[in-house]
């Protein structure tokens, strides 16, 4: 610690250069925190999903849906405790750019299957009495300032009504806590949508299936799919974890994207910091020679250079990771249950240490080889 001031003074010898380098490193770690936070957060969500839920969809064309008649047949499979239809609304609030997760289902059954959902019993009963009712998450209520009793106009690009309108008005009858699930959903009654829409009647995009024993998930899945084998509407049943993971893969390989972007950024950053540290040593050859002349060993001078790189990278990385954490906190309602796990911060610090060690290696070796007489003679 007694040499901390010396390290700090050497680091800020060129203030503008050091400041710009620190900003570059901080931005890189901000990107690292955001991307890895989203990736790890999604993996955590998938890992914590309930093993007692299955998802049944069309085997070959999930978006075309499967007949409602499948529901009763699925419900009769041994081990099944409940079946709820699920229809994606393709919805928006006020503007098409303002997409909203509206889903038509049987709320009473769905809330039995999703034990994580918490809602006042009277609100769930009100939903059953109100054809055009809606249940919303606490996050949606906070985001749009909605409350129980509000009439909310919802537009849809998928389900125009029989009279030609593309906007439905729903009454908010309940606000629920979704727990750790990723479903930040605006729930409406399936029966109401099915009666009002002019296309797709009598079908659902998929069914949420509850089972009594997660250890029998594969057996129950095979039994469900066997009922519809070689029929016009064959099904594919998966666990909730497998379904969400495959859905994410269809959108993009998040892990591959994260690793590719972060890898490219840090390779560039390694070249940048290494070049900056090497230039810093070149500018201070005489000063480092003086340190050796007054008794500092070659190893100690080299350690000063590595320490400067370590301070530069750790301070900048800490700022970038802290900013990433603030971004997650600021947009918690939008991001939902996905957040930046502590493991991302730990990994970021480890990467910063490795970056400092690698980028400071050659400059430290250069400082170690300085010959006092030659360096001072050239001054």
């Amino acid at each position: 610690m007694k040499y901390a001031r010396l390290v700090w003074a050497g680091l800020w010898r060129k203030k503008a250069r050091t400041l710009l380098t620190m900003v570059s490193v901080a931005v890189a770690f901000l990107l690292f925190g955001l991307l890895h936070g989203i990736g790890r957060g999604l993996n955590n969500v998938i890992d914590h999903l309930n093993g007692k839920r299955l998802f049944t969809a069309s085997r070959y064309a999930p978006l075309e849906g499967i007949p409602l008649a499948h529901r009763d047949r699925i419900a009769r499979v041994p081990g099944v405790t409940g079946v709820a239809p699920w229809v994606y609304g393709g919805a928006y609030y006020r503007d098409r750019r303002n997409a909203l997760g509206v889903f038509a289902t049987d709320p009473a059954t769905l809330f039995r299957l999703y034990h994580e959902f918490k809602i006042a019993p009277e609100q769930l009963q009100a939903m059953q009495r109100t054809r055009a009712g809606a249940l919303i998450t606490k996050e949606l209520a906070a985001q749009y300032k909605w409350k129980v009793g509000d009439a909310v106009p919802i537009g849809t690009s998928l389900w125009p009504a029989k009279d030609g309108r593309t906007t439905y008005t729903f009454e908010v009858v309940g606000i629920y806590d979704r727990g750790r699930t990723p479903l930040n959903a605006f729930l409406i009654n399936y029966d109401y949508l099915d009666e009002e829409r002019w296309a797709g009647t009598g079908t659902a995009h998929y069914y949420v299936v509850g089972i009594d024993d997660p250890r029998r998930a594969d057996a129950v899945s095979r039994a469900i799919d066997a009922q519809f084998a070689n029929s016009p509407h064959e099904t594919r049943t998966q666990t909730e974890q497998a379904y969400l993971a495959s859905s994410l893969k269809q959108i993009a390989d998040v892990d591959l994207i994260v690793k590719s972007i972060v890898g490219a950024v840090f390779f560039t950053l390694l070249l940048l910091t290494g070049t900056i540290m090497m230039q810093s040593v070149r500018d201070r050859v005489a000063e480092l020679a003086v340190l050796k002349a007054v008794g500092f060993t070659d190893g100690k001078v080299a350690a000063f250079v590595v320490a400067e790189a370590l301070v530069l990278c750790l301070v900048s990385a800490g700022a970038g990771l802290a900013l990433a954490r603030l971004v997650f906190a600021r947009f918690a309602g939008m991001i939902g249950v996905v957040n930046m796990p502590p493991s991302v911060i730990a990994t970021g610090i480890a990467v910063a240490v490795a970056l400092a060690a690698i980028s400071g290696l050659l400059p430290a070796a250069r400082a170690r080889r300085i010959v006092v007489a030659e360096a001072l003679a050239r001054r």
Side-chain angles (χ1 to χ4, degrees):
M1 292 298 294
K2 64 181 180 179
Y3 299 121
R5 292 182 62 184
L6 187 61
V7 172
W8 189 253
L11 188 62
W12 287 98
R13 187 176 183 277
K14 297 284 186 179
K15 294 183 176 62
R17 181 171 64 193
T18 299
L19 184 61
L20 290 175
T21 304
M22 293 182 75
V23 170
S24 299
V25 175
V27 170
F29 277 90
L30 168 63
L31 182 63
F32 172 89
L34 292 176
L35 292 177
H36 272 279
I38 291 173
R40 297 271 183 93
L42 287 173
N43 289 335
N44 285 344
V45 168
I46 292 173
D47 291 341
H48 286 88
L49 291 176
N50 194 313
K52 298 176 69 175
R53 289 189 294 265
L54 307 177
F55 281 57
T56 299
S58 172
R59 187 173 190 84
Y60 302 110
L63 293 181
E64 291 184 8
I66 48 181
L68 194 62
H70 280 33
R71 181 182 183 181
D72 292 337
R73 296 179 63 182
I74 294 172
R76 290 194 293 268
V77 172
V80 172
T81 60
V83 185
W86 191 265
V87 176
Y88 172 63
Y92 55 90
Y93 177 58
R94 291 182 176 173
D95 191 291
R96 290 181 181 273
R97 293 171 296 182
N98 193 18
L100 190 66
V102 176
F103 301 94
T105 185
D106 174 3
T109 302
L110 190 76
F111 274 72
R112 287 199 302 272
L113 301 180
Y114 278 87
H115 303 293
E116 303 93 330
F117 290 175
K118 305 300 180 185
I119 191 172
E122 60 272 17
Q123 293 184 345
L124 190 56
Q125 293 168 6
M127 183 67 173
Q128 294 176 275
R129 296 192 304 267
T130 310
R131 290 180 66 250
L135 300 176
I136 62 174
T137 61
K138 294 191 302 183
E139 290 83 1
L140 287 176
Q143 182 179 355
Y144 293 106
K145 305 297 187 295
W146 292 331
K147 59 184 182 300
V148 173
D150 284 353
V152 180
I154 299 296
T156 176
S157 57
L158 291 181
W159 309 121
K162 293 175 182 176
D163 60 9
R165 75 182 190 281
T166 57
T167 299
Y168 296 79
T169 300
F170 297 97
E171 178 187 350
V172 177
V173 298
I175 300 174
Y176 66 96
D177 183 345
R178 60 177 169 150
R180 290 177 58 85
T181 69
L183 295 174
N184 190 19
F186 186 110
L187 300 176
I188 63 175
N189 284 310
Y190 173 85
D191 291 343
Y192 170 70
L193 176 67
D194 206 45
E195 291 173 6
E196 292 291 319
R197 60 181 175 173
W198 72 269
T201 56
T203 65
H205 283 134
Y206 56 87
Y207 294 100
V208 182
V209 181
I211 57 176
D212 57 5
D213 186 352
R215 293 172 298 181
R216 299 187 61 243
D218 290 340
V220 175
S221 298
R222 289 193 297 269
I224 291 173
D225 294 339
Q227 291 195 94
F228 311 107
N230 301 317
S231 73
H233 300 285
E234 292 190 57
T235 61
R236 182 186 184 192
T237 303
Q238 302 172 281
T239 62
E240 188 175 33
Q241 293 95 330
Y243 181 85
L244 182 56
S246 64
S247 297
L248 291 174
K249 286 287 186 180
Q250 289 177 3
I251 297 172
D253 190 333
V254 177
D255 287 340
L256 179 61
I257 292 174
V258 168
K259 291 176 181 177
S260 299
I261 294 176
V262 171
V265 169
F266 278 105
F267 178 74
T268 305
L269 190 62
L270 179 61
L271 296 179
L272 171 66
T273 53
T275 302
I276 293 298
M277 291 305 300
M278 185 62 78
Q279 183 62 46
S280 176
V281 170
R282 290 196 191 98
D283 292 344
R284 296 157 52 208
V285 167
E287 295 175 16
L288 297 175
V290 169
L291 290 179
K292 289 188 176 186
V294 297
F296 285 87
T297 64
D298 291 344
K300 190 168 288 187
V301 170
F304 283 150
V305 175
V306 175
E308 288 177 16
L310 189 62
V311 171
L312 174 69
C313 291
L314 284 178
V315 171
S316 305
L321 292 171
L323 186 57
R325 195 172 182 86
L326 288 176
V327 170
F328 274 101
R330 173 65 180 82
F331 296 100
M334 182 183 301
I335 299 174
V337 296
V338 178
N339 53 30
M340 192 169 78
S343 60
V344 173
I345 298 177
T347 302
I349 296 301
V351 170
V353 172
L355 179 66
I358 296 173
S359 62
L361 187 61
L362 289 178
R366 173 72 176 86
R368 187 183 181 90
R369 292 195 302 269
I370 292 175
V371 177
V372 177
E374 293 180 0
L376 295 179
R378 290 199 300 265
R379 186 170 180 176

